[in-house]
């Protein structure tokens, strides 16, 4: 799993420019590649440098009572524990829609893997299924033709292989499931162009979907010990090196992206989602961990696009005290480089 995330970090770093170039949905801000790269890097860094010093323990030992990651307490051989720690770190530092959804994917996928020391076809199917359900439900207004569709396609393919092989947990079955998941993800990426009017008009595929495809191929590569499929992205519309940066020709998007972490009761979380839905779009709310604090509140990661920062932050503050607030102007994200993107931290 560590090898997977390391490969994904490298692959996304190498492909960030082309992913940014075709990023026009939900806003044409040209930062999907950057956001995915920085989010995966946060996950990778959370697992680095612990070597043999990590203590063995159950997967939920990765999280403190507040739901925040606690480094050095995860069983090195527990696949679910490793991914849970990576997912929590990614969620805390997630960037943009794509980074937040990848973090949701990682946290959810870790749950069925808890307590297991190796990946198998049945576990892969369970992990992808949990991830696609959680990703679809994290968004207030989920849209087909995005990375959500790619995750769902991969999940269905892995489940079909697992069902056909009657739960075979051999390495051979796992290889077949991974092959099927990546192939289905590729086909889903190709379909994104026809599923969204903005992509069809620009003649490009969805950037977040391509990023998710790369991540899944990195998983296949890491588990099977094979090279990444260099031809995988050949022919994807808008993805050739000579293709222009589509997003630069789009009108500027007004507004800002607001992200934060906050402790909320279940009722307050539902209230916040409703109020943010009324104020803006691209609302994503995902719970961090499963443990409530002494007041019965849970940690949430919040993401929204709004016209103005102040009203959104005021609504959030009425329900709790947010931390790690970041506010980024959507129109300015286009000029960002992978090495220096930080948004506006407050």
């Amino acid at each position: 799993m560590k090898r997977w995330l390391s490969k994904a970090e490298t692959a996304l770093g190498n492909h960030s420019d082309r992913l940014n170039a075709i990023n026009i949905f939900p806003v044409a801000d040209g930062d999907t590649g950057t956001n995915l790269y920085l989010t995966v890097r946060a996950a990778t860094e959370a697992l680095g440098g612990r070597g043999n010093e990590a203590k063995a323990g159950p997967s939920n030992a990765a999280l403190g009572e507040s739901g925040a990651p606690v480094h050095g307490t995860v069983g090195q051989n527990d696949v679910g524990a490793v991914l849970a720690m990576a997912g929590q770190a990614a969620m805390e530092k997630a960037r943009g829609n794509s980074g937040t959804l990848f973090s949701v994917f990682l946290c959810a996928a870790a749950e069925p893997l808890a307590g297991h020391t190796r990946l198998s076809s049945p576990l892969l199917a369970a992990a992808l299924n949990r991830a696609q359900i959680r990703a679809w439900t994290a968004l207030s207004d989920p849209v087909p033709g995005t990375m959500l569709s790619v995750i769902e396609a991969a999940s269905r393919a892995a489940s079909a292989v697992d069902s056909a092989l009657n739960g075979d947990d051999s390495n051979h079955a796992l290889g077949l499931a991974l092959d099927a998941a990546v192939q289905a993800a590729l086909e889903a990426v190709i379909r994104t162009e026809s599923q969204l009017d903005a992509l069809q008009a620009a003649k490009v595929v969805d950037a977040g979907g391509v990023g998710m495809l790369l991540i899944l191929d990195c998983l296949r590569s890491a588990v099977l010990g094979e090279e990444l499929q260099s031809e995988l992205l050949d022919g994807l519309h808008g993805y050739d090196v000579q293709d222009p940066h589509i997003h630069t020709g789009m009108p500027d998007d007004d507004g800002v992206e607001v992200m934060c972490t906050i402790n909320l009761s279940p009722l307050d979380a539902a209230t916040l989602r409703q109020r943010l839905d009324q104020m803006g779009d691209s609302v994503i709310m995902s719970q961090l961990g499963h443990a409530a604090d002494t007041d019965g509140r849970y940690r949430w990661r919040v993401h929204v696009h709004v016209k103005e920062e102040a009203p959104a932050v005021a609504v959030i503050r009425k329900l709790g005290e947010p931390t790690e607030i970041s506010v980024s102007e959507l129109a300015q994200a286009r000029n960002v480089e992978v090495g220096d993107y930080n948004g506006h931290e407050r």
Side-chain angles (χ1 to χ4, degrees):
M1 293 299 98
K2 295 177 186 178
R3 189 164 59 247
W4 166 36
L5 292 174
S6 179
K7 278 179 173 284
E9 178 186 354
T10 300
L12 289 168
N14 291 338
H15 286 264
S16 61
D17 182 68
R18 291 314 308 163
L19 292 172
N20 288 344
I22 62 172
N23 173 210
I24 62 172
F25 185 88
V27 290
D29 49 2
D31 63 355
T32 288
T34 303
N35 289 338
L36 276 173
Y37 167 75
L38 291 174
T39 304
V40 173
R41 186 177 71 180
T44 304
E45 289 177 346
L47 303 180
R50 291 184 295 119
N52 295 320
E53 296 177 3
K55 302 174 184 178
S59 61
N60 60 8
L63 310 177
E65 290 184 1
S66 66
V70 178
H71 295 274
T73 59
V74 175
Q76 289 289 82
N77 295 322
D78 186 329
V79 177
V82 170
L83 287 192
M85 174 176 279
Q88 292 293 321
M91 187 70 76
E92 293 282 0
K93 297 184 178 180
R95 299 288 185 177
N97 284 47
S98 56
T100 303
L101 286 174
F102 169 72
S103 302
V104 172
F105 167 89
L106 205 59
C107 288
E111 293 173 4
L113 305 180
H116 295 276
T117 59
R118 60 179 285 272
L119 191 62
S120 65
S121 176
L123 287 174
L124 175 68
L128 290 178
N129 182 59
R130 182 75 59 87
Q132 66 99 4
I133 292 173
R134 192 72 55 76
W136 277 101
T137 56
L139 272 161
S140 291
D141 187 22
V143 178
T146 62
M147 63 191 298
L148 296 174
S149 299
V150 176
I151 296 170
E152 181 180 6
S155 170
R156 289 180 180 274
S159 293
V161 170
D162 180 52
S163 178
L165 297 179
N166 297 313
D168 184 352
D169 65 354
S170 68
N171 288 338
H172 175 69
L174 176 59
L176 294 176
L178 286 165
D179 285 341
V182 172
Q183 180 60 35
L186 172 59
E187 294 169 1
V189 167
I190 295 172
R191 287 195 298 272
T192 61
E193 183 178 348
S194 64
Q195 291 177 291
L196 291 170
D197 291 342
L199 301 182
Q200 193 165 24
K203 295 181 172 58
V204 296
V205 293
D206 181 66
V210 178
M212 196 67 227
L213 172 60
L214 283 168
I215 290 168
L216 290 170
D217 194 41
C218 287
L219 174 61
R220 176 190 175 278
S221 171
V223 172
L224 301 184
E226 298 180 3
E227 294 297 321
L228 293 173
Q229 302 176 81
S230 59
E231 75 290 350
L232 190 64
L233 307 183
D234 290 352
L236 292 181
H237 288 179
Y239 209 75
D240 289 339
V241 174
Q242 66 269 24
D243 288 335
H245 280 233
I246 303 294
H247 69 86
T248 58
M250 299 288 178
D252 282 349
D253 294 289
D254 294 330
V256 295
E257 175 185 76
V258 178
M259 298 185 68
C260 71
T261 302
I262 187 170
N263 284 14
L264 297 169
S265 69
L267 178 59
D268 284 344
T271 300
L272 179 59
R273 183 187 286 273
Q274 180 184 37
R275 292 179 181 174
L276 292 179
D277 282 339
Q278 294 170 346
M279 298 182 67
D281 52 31
S282 295
V283 177
I284 306 175
M285 289 185 59
S286 184
Q287 187 176 316
L288 294 168
H290 302 288
D293 64 15
T294 55
D295 295 321
R297 299 174 302 177
Y298 298 83
R299 279 170 67 84
W300 290 84
R301 188 64 177 165
V302 179
H303 170 283
V304 64
H305 291 173
V306 289
K307 291 294 184 182
E308 297 179 354
E309 165 194 349
V313 173
V315 163
I316 294 170
R317 289 191 186 281
K318 283 183 180 179
L319 294 170
E321 187 57 41
T323 60
E324 297 174 319
I325 300 178
S326 68
V327 180
S328 302
E329 294 185 20
L330 296 174
Q332 289 186 354
R334 301 181 180 194
N335 301 318
V336 162
E337 298 294 334
V338 168
D340 61 15
Y341 181 79
N342 285 308
H344 305 295
E345 299 295 337
R346 313 230 172 178

